[in-house]
Every structure is written in structure tokens, then in C-alpha cells.
Amino acid sequence: MRVVFMGTPAFAAEALRAICEEGGHDVVLVVTNPDKPSGRGHKLTPPPVKAYALSRGIVVFQPVSLRDTEAQETIRRAGADVIIVAAYGKILPPEILSMPPLGCVNIHASLLPRWRGAAPINRAIMAGDPIGGVTVMYMAEGLDTGDMILKKELPVPPQMTAGEYHDRLAVLGGEAINEYLALAASGAVPREKQDDAAATYAQKLTDDDRRPDFRASASDVCNRIRGLSPSPGAYCFCAGKRLKLLFAVPADGIGRPGEILSTSGGAITITCGQGAVAVTAVQPEGKPRMDAESFLRGNRIEKGSFVTCS
């Protein structure tokens, strides 16, 4: 199969690796977003997909817009049988959707029609979903509305973070897209319409999402913390300092929401609307991740004081 691959972050890079190394297909062009400034020196840094493609000697194309006719012609000249898309970050115009003989096929990080949209990995964990997975689907002009080809499920343990879920899904996505490519080569690709009535939407994360509401239940607060860990990270203000909360488990406790019940046992225990949470991993502003016990050794946190999220 001649493949044009479109993607940008690490999730997509794993799919590209699987296509090249395990599927053995001919990736004739990689389309990814332009390099972005990164770090303190704001040095231009290539996206993970570009870095992998260059390591394989694959031609890389980084258009600012896909609506540009020259960009579309560059993709057309690649002569792909299929365009594979994974977390590319741009909407494909109709001119590209209709370009390859086998269409444009997307690896979406959810079991559609649940969690259409921008942040399916985070939203699934934040909602406490016990089962997640990936969907390989035909692309259409709507937001993740295309017909489904195949799904692969993944159990989500109650203490899995979004980062861990992402890494597992990335591998699963690579397996799924190679399964699709084998089906496409045989000419027997299934196609199933989505149930629009069952759709839910994974809205893009905002700063409000990052601030836990300690009036909620302990399980809801834990899900929010792990659903944003390690990035962008839930946060609160504790003893006047902004503190990322990277991991927490439900705990026993009674008090006013946001009250610090304990700073012993290697955790900061905070009251919720129902129960409490024991925060065991944090990241102070401007510092690396650390366990709560290490943070507490260098910071005096008074029992009975309160955390705030504004």
C-alpha cells in the first residue's frame, strides 16, 4: 500500500512507526504541522512525527494550511492509495478527503461515537470510563462523524492516568491501523455508520477544567486529577503556592471541602464534598514532579488550612 501519513504528536508517531516497521507499507509522504518554539531558548523543535519520519528517510511536508492549492497538489502528486490520519491537528478539506482511491482513514482515540472531538483521552479518564479504546474510521466533513471500520477496546483501571492511557492507546492505534491496511489490501473493509444519538463530545481542555471542585465527590476529584496527569495537570493553591496535583486516591475523611485533614503518611489529604482525596504526587510551580512526602519536607502545610483553586 502507498500511504500518505498525516499526524503530529507522539500518539501519531507510534502509529507511523507501526505502519513502517510492522506493517511494511510504503509511506511515500508524511504531512505534519510546522516546527514550534520549545523550552527556555524557544528553539524550533520538530514534532515527534517529523523526527521519526526523518529517521526513516521519509519525505516530510509541513504546510501551514491544507486549503492552499499548492499544498493540495503536493499531496496529490504523492499518488497514495490511502491517507492515514492520526492526531494531525488540522481539518482536511473536501479536496483532500476525496483524493485517494481508498479514502482518508483516521485513528481516533476513543470508542466512537463516545468522545468525538479534541480531547478524548483526557475526557475518558476524567469521566471515570472503565473501558476505552481506539476506532479506525473513514473521515467525513463532520467532527469525527465518519463511518467506522473497526474498534479495539482497552480496559481502564481506576488508577490509570491520562499519560499512561495515552501510551497504551498509541500502541493499540498502531495495531488497529495495520489491521485496517491488511483488510484494505484484501478488498474486504467493513463499514458501520455511527449512532449520532449516542454521541458525546470531548471538548478542548480549558483552564477551568484544570481546577478541581473539592465540593464534588472524592472519586470525581481523583478522576479529574488523573485525567489531566501529567499534562496539562490539575492544580490548586496550597500555602500560597500554585501546586500541580498529579496523582490522588480516595480516602476517608470528614470536613469542609478543600480542608487539609492530614499531611502524614506520604500524602496531602484534602476533604471533598463526599469523602476525601490523598494526593501523593505533585509538581510545585517551576520545579519537577515529586512525591507529596518530598514536597512536605520543604513546605510547611498546616492541618486545618484550605486549598483554593482560584
Side-chain angles (χ1 to χ4, degrees):
M1 303 287 285
R2 286 178 61 84
V3 176
V4 165
F5 184 88
M6 296 183 173
T8 301
F11 178 89
E14 174 58 26
L16 176 60
R17 185 205 64 78
I19 292 169
C20 293
E21 298 180 22
E22 294 162 15
H25 298 282
D26 185 13
V27 179
V28 294
L29 179 68
V30 161
V31 183
T32 189
N33 278 321
D35 298 0
K36 286 188 176 181
S38 178
R40 291 185 178 181
H42 299 287
K43 181 181 178 181
L44 283 177
T45 303
V49 161
K50 177 182 179 179
Y52 178 81
L54 292 179
S55 77
R56 299 277 303 188
I58 301 171
V59 176
V60 175
F61 180 43
Q62 295 176 275
V64 174
S65 171
L66 292 179
R67 298 193 178 279
D68 179 77
T69 54
E70 290 186 13
Q72 292 173 13
E73 188 56 30
T74 297
I75 297 168
R76 189 187 308 278
R77 283 197 302 267
D81 298 310
V82 64
I83 293 176
I84 302 294
V85 182
Y88 174 45
K90 285 185 172 67
I91 295 173
L92 273 60
E95 292 84 354
I96 292 177
L97 290 174
S98 61
M99 196 176 287
L102 297 179
C104 296
V105 173
N106 182 47
I107 310 167
H108 185 72
S110 81
L111 297 176
L112 291 170
R114 185 163 176 78
W115 301 130
R116 295 173 176 174
I121 291 175
N122 302 98
R123 296 293 180 187
I125 301 290
M126 290 165 69
D129 288 3
I131 300 288
V134 296
T135 303
V136 176
M137 57 177 289
Y138 287 107
M139 298 188 72
E141 291 189 53
L143 180 63
D144 299 323
T145 58
D147 292 350
M148 301 178 293
I149 298 167
L150 62 90
K151 297 182 183 182
K152 284 190 170 292
E153 292 188 351
L154 178 70
V156 184
Q159 294 188 356
M160 180 180 277
T161 65
E164 294 165 339
Y165 182 50
H166 167 280
D167 293 348
R168 294 284 302 278
L169 283 187
V171 173
L172 196 64
E175 294 173 3
I177 200 60
N178 276 335
E179 187 173 325
Y180 156 74
L181 286 167
L183 290 169
S186 72
V189 181
R191 191 166 190 144
E192 177 188 354
K193 289 192 176 297
Q194 294 188 44
D195 180 1
D196 292 339
T200 61
Y201 289 87
Q203 303 292 344
K204 185 177 180 180
L205 297 173
T206 68
D207 191 63
D208 285 343
D209 289 314
R210 298 181 61 196
R211 294 181 283 186
D213 183 356
F214 288 100
R215 295 170 299 180
S217 69
S219 62
D220 285 347
V221 173
C222 285
N223 288 343
R224 181 169 296 258
I225 290 170
R226 68 190 182 97
L228 297 167
S229 178
S231 179
Y235 72 87
C236 68
F237 293 91
C238 182
K241 297 182 179 180
R242 179 168 162 146
L243 189 66
K244 268 191 186 181
L245 310 175
L246 297 179
F247 193 75
V249 294
D252 294 329
I254 299 175
R256 294 167 59 193
E259 182 180 356
I260 295 177
L261 297 178
S262 170
T263 56
S264 62
I268 304 168
T269 304
I270 306 169
T271 309
C272 299
Q274 298 173 21
V277 294
V279 178
T280 57
V282 298
Q283 184 178 356
E285 193 165 19
K287 295 186 177 180
R289 177 190 178 115
M290 63 183 70
D291 57 56
E293 187 172 6
S294 299
F295 173 74
L296 289 167
R297 279 199 294 267
N299 295 270
R300 184 176 178 83
I301 307 297
E302 295 288 345
K303 179 181 176 181
S305 62
F306 286 81
V307 299
T308 62
C309 294
S310 59

